[in-house]
């Protein structure tokens, strides 16, 4: 907020701030955890279906990951060059998800 405010004050009336977006810079560890959970969930569901059919779950034939990332934008009021306080920035959220398709033999 203070950096945005400083830029607006330096530029005066010639500056307009619009559409500020904050994103995660390092998603690797989060995505690794999401992938591990997705694989575990897929296996648990496959085992439930196999058990209900009276079959045992065989080895994996294929796995197809589909990665999606959804950002929820942050919103705040337009900066005013005459304001003395820093621009308020409210925390937002970002959701990372992993979808997979796993095919097992029976």
């Amino acid at each position: 907020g203070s950096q945005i405010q400083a830029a607006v004050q330096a530029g005066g009336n010639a500056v307009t701030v619009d559409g500020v977006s904050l994103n995660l810079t390092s998603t690797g560890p989060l995505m690794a955890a999401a992938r591990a959970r997705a694989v575990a969930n897929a296996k648990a569901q496959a085992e439930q279906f196999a058990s209900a059919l009276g079959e045992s779950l065989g080895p994996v034939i294929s796995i197809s990951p589909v990665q999606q990332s959804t950002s929820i934008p942050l919103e705040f009021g337009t900066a005013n060059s005459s304001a003395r306080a820093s621009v308020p920035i409210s925390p937002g959220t970002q959701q990372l998800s992993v979808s997979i398709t796993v095919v097992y033999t029976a």
Side-chain angles (χ1 to χ4, degrees):
S2 61
Q3 293 171 340
I4 293 171
Q5 186 63 30
V8 170
Q9 287 177 340
N13 291 333
V15 174
T16 301
V17 177
D18 187 27
V20 173
S21 175
L22 305 174
N23 293 304
L24 295 171
T25 56
S26 176
T27 60
L30 295 171
M31 292 304 296
R35 286 184 199 102
R37 283 193 304 271
V39 169
N41 288 342
K43 184 175 183 183
Q45 288 179 18
E47 287 173 338
Q48 290 170 4
F49 287 126
S51 177
L53 293 169
E55 300 285 335
S56 60
L57 192 61
V60 173
I61 294 174
S62 68
I63 182 167
S64 303
V66 179
Q67 182 175 323
Q68 301 173 348
S69 176
T70 304
S71 297
I72 300 172
L74 305 177
E75 296 182 17
F76 59 93
T78 303
N80 181 339
S81 62
S82 64
R84 294 193 185 267
S86 71
V87 175
I89 296 181
S90 300
T93 61
Q94 184 173 14
Q95 179 178 346
L96 302 173
S97 64
V98 173
S99 297
I100 61 170
T101 300
V102 181
V103 178
Y104 291 90
T105 60

